[in-house]
């Protein structure tokens, strides 16, 4: 990990006892799991399958929370909430705004996966 990555994921490093090797291993797993979850969420919202959107969003939030508990991970909860209310329009609007930032976070996580 470089210094920028250490600063970016400093909270995540603390959570793993400052063990960069473990964080890099976890990053590989998170990226491997996160990419398909983001795609599942996208697909579920596109097909207005709010039950699946809620599940995928919740799983993605859990995956990303190991690395970032703030923004943009926090953008997922309103999407999950809209899906649970069976509001595909709101879920779609929120996801459209959040998707680039979530994708960017996944790329950052991938960048430390070695």
């Amino acid at each position: 990990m470089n210094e920028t990555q250490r600063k970016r994921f400093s909270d995540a490093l603390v959570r793993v006892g400052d063990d960069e090797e473990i964080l890099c291993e976890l990053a590989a797993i998170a990226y491997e799991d996160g990419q398909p979850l983001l795609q599942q969420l996208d697909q579920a919202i596109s097909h207005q399958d709010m039950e699946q959107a809620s599940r995928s969003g919740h799983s993605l939030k859990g995956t990303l929370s190991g690395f970032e508990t703030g923004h943009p991970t926090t953008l997922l909860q309103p999407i999950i909430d809209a899906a649970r209310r069976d509001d595909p329009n709101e879920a779609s609007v929120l996801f459209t705004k959040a998707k680039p930032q979530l994708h960017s976070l996944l790329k950052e996580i991938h960048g430390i996966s070695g």
Side-chain angles (χ1 to χ4, degrees):
M1 287 179 66
N2 63 39
E3 192 58 33
T4 301
Q5 292 167 322
R6 280 185 201 93
K7 286 180 183 177
R8 170 67 176 97
F9 294 109
S10 61
D11 290 342
L13 267 170
V14 169
R15 286 191 288 277
V16 296
D18 289 321
D19 190 326
E20 288 184 20
E21 187 175 321
I22 288 176
L23 189 62
C24 291
E25 290 174 20
L26 291 172
I29 295 166
Y31 181 76
E32 186 177 306
D33 292 347
Q35 267 310 102
L37 287 170
L38 184 60
Q39 291 171 349
Q40 286 174 11
L41 179 57
D42 193 358
Q43 224 173 24
I45 289 174
S46 294
H47 292 100
Q48 297 190 350
D49 182 347
M50 294 298 97
E51 186 177 326
Q52 180 61 46
S54 174
R55 282 195 309 268
S56 297
H58 184 75
S59 295
L60 181 58
K61 181 180 172 190
T63 298
L64 297 178
S65 291
F67 294 86
E68 178 57 69
T69 57
H71 186 81
T73 304
T74 54
L75 297 174
L76 286 164
Q77 191 59 53
I79 296 167
I80 295 165
D81 293 343
R84 288 180 178 161
R85 287 192 312 272
D86 198 26
D87 187 344
N89 292 330
E90 181 71 11
S92 180
V93 167
L94 293 168
F95 182 69
T96 298
K97 292 178 184 177
K99 184 179 175 182
Q101 296 169 69
L102 295 168
H103 183 61
S104 180
L105 176 57
L106 278 169
K107 284 176 63 176
E108 287 182 275
I109 291 169
H110 183 65
I112 63 171
S113 67

